Amino acid sequence: MPPISPQATRPNIIDESRVFEIQELFFSTTDKRGRIRSSNEIFVRVSGFPAGELRNRPHNIIRHPDMPRVIFQLLWSEIESEREILAYVKNRAKDGRYYWVVALVSPIEGGYLSVRFKPSSELFPVVRNLYRELGELESSAENAGAGKAAGMVKSRAALDDRLHELGFADYRAFMHSAFERELRSREAALMKRRGGYEKKQTDGDSTRKGTAADAARGVVVACEEALSALARLFNELEVYSSLNEGIRSKAGFVASLSHSIRMLSLNGTVEAEQLGTTGCGIGRVLDWLQTFSSDIREGCDNLTTPLARLNSDINSVIFALNSAKLQIEMTTDFAVETLRAAAGDTGQKEGIESGAMRDLYGCSRNTVERALAALAAVEGKLHALDGVQRSIWKSIRSLRLIYLKGKIELASVASERLGIVFDDMNRHLTDTEGNLSALESLIEELHKELRRGVQHSAPIERAVRKIDPGAAEGAADSGGECTAA
């Protein structure tokens, strides 16, 4: 195959989008260097490149100049570390037009798999504006002679700052939230468009039906069964997410108790010192409160640290389950595509690289197994929080006793300011007691939901194992070959 000239791969940019529908999924696999090994027909159509021009070409053949370099730097850093990553990407078609995707990139044997779908959530406009800012920063640094590396350093700092402003601890936290929002938005659009769930159409030309085509239909049926099994668990993902956010909020309030008590006791100590000898009794109480606030801080740290880890673990479970669902749906669509190719219903005859279906299936199976293992692990970790919560309750009860002692001492001290300090202290204790009770209820509810989720694991694993990745490839090999890139 002759090399493609730079002019052929870098057309003029046209500020117009390619047609790309909400229900469409497409994928590509690459080797470790990012050279394209395989894809499906939708990728070929949307990108505008014939399959032959994509095969063995670097994936950046579709890179759009509007994309900030820092996003690709981040992407490669993650996948080279064998971690899955999700990113919004603006791509350039062969004719110079653009198309936006949400890309889920996963390590596979010998390379990477990227499954893409159309972004539609309320987060998408925010990302477009952010990318514009990052691109301008990089261009400005380069134009000033600082170089690409310096531009990406500035861009990465700006990315982190902006994510913090949006309420995300880091890019992975943003990625988890973005994936959930985008899939929810897509599902809502599909339900509205279709009026409900739509099974994949697998009937082809009856003259081409036979063992291989029947096997391909079996792949579709098995994928549908796996998606149905996953759906039972997916009905609970929104509950996981809601409980997780509630736990994060309540944990933050409980953690603030030690700081509040310490500040109030310091303010009270200043006032007590101004009272002289009449403040001795109340002064001792305030000293106890200051000392005890340190113990409370240690107890709160013992609670908030595992709760923060729990929050991250739950988000990772949700992300992995969403990944599995998307990858199995992509496997289903690709099996339908190969079946239509076997029936002679496709115009693409370039031939599919052997192993593409196995790559899709293998990745989805690994993702399912990882997600279910993480689900079971999180469910098991919740038991460890029981002892920490009991310790916090013990500390709060001790604080309450010290507070009551202070109220008694306060009766002999004429100080309106000290009265305000103790009233504030009572309010903080009462609020914390309420939030800790609510936290316990949320953790108990999450535990119950996770136990129920773990019970779904066995049927999900059985359904996923029924998928035979060789069947659809056999359909393509037996007649009517499918797209490759």
Side-chain angles (χ1 to χ4, degrees):
M1 179 184 299
I4 299 175
S5 68
Q7 290 78 16
T9 60
R10 303 184 186 281
N12 293 328
I13 298 303
I14 301 173
D15 191 20
E16 181 181 327
S17 64
R18 298 277 293 187
V19 175
F20 177 26
E21 301 295 338
I22 190 71
Q23 77 276 11
E24 294 183 310
L25 296 177
F26 62 87
F27 80 94
S28 56
T29 63
T30 72
D31 62 17
K32 289 288 187 181
R33 295 181 300 167
R35 292 184 176 275
I36 298 170
R37 296 194 307 204
S38 62
S39 75
N40 62 335
E41 291 178 355
I42 295 174
F43 179 40
V44 171
R45 192 202 78 226
V46 176
S47 71
F49 284 94
E53 289 188 19
L54 290 170
R55 181 188 288 277
N56 296 323
R57 302 297 180 185
H59 210 283
N60 63 13
I61 193 174
I62 58 169
R63 180 178 292 189
H64 198 286
D66 286 353
M67 274 298 294
R69 287 190 175 89
V70 71
I71 299 301
F72 291 112
Q73 181 189 55
L74 180 62
L75 187 150
W76 276 102
S77 172
E78 291 296 293
I79 60 176
E80 286 179 343
S81 300
E82 298 295 309
R83 289 190 293 266
E84 206 166 39
I85 186 170
L86 183 101
Y88 290 85
V89 181
K90 184 178 185 179
N91 286 325
R92 178 184 56 202
K94 185 176 182 180
D95 64 5
R97 288 185 289 171
Y98 68 87
Y99 58 98
W100 279 94
V101 298
V102 181
L104 174 69
V105 187
S106 311
I108 58 174
E109 186 176 354
Y112 308 104
L113 165 70
S114 175
V115 178
R116 278 94 86 190
F117 62 97
K118 189 180 184 72
S120 61
S121 81
E122 78 288 351
L123 200 55
F124 180 39
V126 177
V127 171
R128 288 202 307 263
N129 290 333
L130 172 60
Y131 279 19
R132 190 178 302 114
E133 294 170 15
L134 298 180
E136 289 172 355
L137 267 177
E138 291 177 0
S139 296
S140 176
E142 289 176 37
N143 293 337
K148 293 179 181 178
M152 284 192 287
V153 169
K154 287 186 177 181
S155 184
R156 182 57 193 267
L159 173 62
D160 291 341
D161 288 344
R162 186 72 177 105
L163 292 179
H164 291 157
E165 290 172 10
L166 292 170
F168 301 107
D170 52 27
Y171 185 85
R172 295 200 72 81
F174 161 76
M175 174 183 83
H176 289 159
S177 179
F179 198 15
E180 191 174 0
R181 293 191 205 186
E182 288 294 346
L183 287 183
R184 195 178 298 153
S185 176
R186 181 174 184 265
E187 286 295 322
L190 292 179
M191 289 294 288
K192 183 177 180 181
R193 182 187 184 103
R194 298 169 176 170
Y197 179 68
E198 181 180 89
K199 284 182 71 69
K200 305 298 180 184
Q201 297 301 310
T202 60
D203 291 335
D205 185 343
S206 60
T207 63
R208 301 303 297 274
K209 290 180 182 178
T211 303
D214 288 341
R217 279 188 202 85
V219 171
V220 177
V221 171
C223 285
E224 295 285 3
E225 185 179 338
L227 287 172
S228 178
L230 273 170
R232 301 185 193 104
L233 187 53
F234 267 82
N235 291 335
E236 296 161 16
L237 287 192
E238 195 165 344
V239 178
Y240 294 169
S241 184
S242 176
L243 290 171
N244 204 27
E245 179 57 29
I247 288 170
R248 188 189 66 79
S249 173
K250 299 301 180 186
F253 192 95
V254 171
S256 70
L257 174 64
S258 62
H259 176 73
S260 299
I261 295 299
R262 184 166 59 86
M263 295 307 297
L264 286 169
S265 60
L266 284 171
N267 292 339
T269 298
V270 171
E271 179 64 19
E273 287 175 352
Q274 293 178 356
L275 294 175
T277 55
T278 58
C280 288
I282 196 70
R284 282 195 295 273
V285 169
L286 292 166
D287 286 342
W288 292 339
L289 286 171
Q290 279 194 64
T291 301
F292 205 74
S293 68
S294 297
D295 297 333
I296 287 286
R297 184 175 65 249
E298 182 178 351
C300 288
D301 287 345
N302 289 338
L303 179 65
T304 54
T305 298
L307 282 179
R309 194 176 299 118
L310 172 68
N311 185 264
S312 176
D313 288 347
I314 289 291
N315 284 333
S316 295
V317 167
I318 293 171
F319 184 87
L321 287 169
N322 281 327
S323 298
K325 181 176 183 292
L326 184 69
Q327 289 163 357
I328 292 175
E329 186 179 344
M330 183 72 260
T331 306
T332 310
D333 287 358
F334 193 48
V336 171
E337 184 178 310
T338 58
L339 179 60
R340 288 175 177 163
D345 293 338
T346 178
Q348 298 290 342
K349 305 291 183 181
E350 296 281 348
I352 181 171
E353 177 166 325
S354 177
M357 181 64 73
R358 281 188 287 272
D359 283 340
L360 278 168
Y361 168 70
C363 188
S364 61
R365 178 171 174 172
N366 289 341
T367 304
V368 166
E369 291 174 349
R370 186 176 69 251
L372 295 179
L375 184 68
V378 171
E379 193 268 333
K381 288 178 183 177
L382 287 178
H383 291 293
L385 292 174
D386 294 341
V388 179
Q389 290 179 98
R390 285 195 296 270
S391 175
I392 293 291
W393 270 119
K394 182 178 179 181
S395 297
I396 289 177
R397 284 193 288 270
S398 297
L399 269 176
R400 179 62 76 180
L401 290 173
I402 296 173
Y403 160 78
L404 292 173
K405 171 68 174 173
K407 288 290 285 185
I408 293 171
E409 293 290 341
L410 193 61
S412 60
V413 177
S415 172
E416 182 179 352
R417 290 183 179 179
L418 279 176
I420 292 172
V421 166
F422 275 83
D423 286 345
D424 285 345
M425 196 172 297
N426 180 54
R427 179 172 55 80
H428 278 288
L429 280 171
T430 301
D431 287 347
T432 302
E433 287 163 346
N435 277 277
L436 189 56
S437 293
L439 179 62
E440 282 185 321
S441 297
L442 288 169
I443 291 175
E444 183 179 349
E445 182 66 20
L446 178 61
H447 203 166
K448 182 177 72 176
E449 292 294 335
L450 289 174
R451 277 198 303 269
R452 187 158 58 190
V454 170
Q455 291 171 0
H456 294 320
S457 296
I460 291 171
E461 288 177 326
R462 283 196 300 270
V464 170
R465 289 195 183 105
K466 285 183 182 180
I467 303 170
D468 179 4
E473 288 179 349
D477 293 339
S478 67
E481 296 176 330
C482 191
T483 305

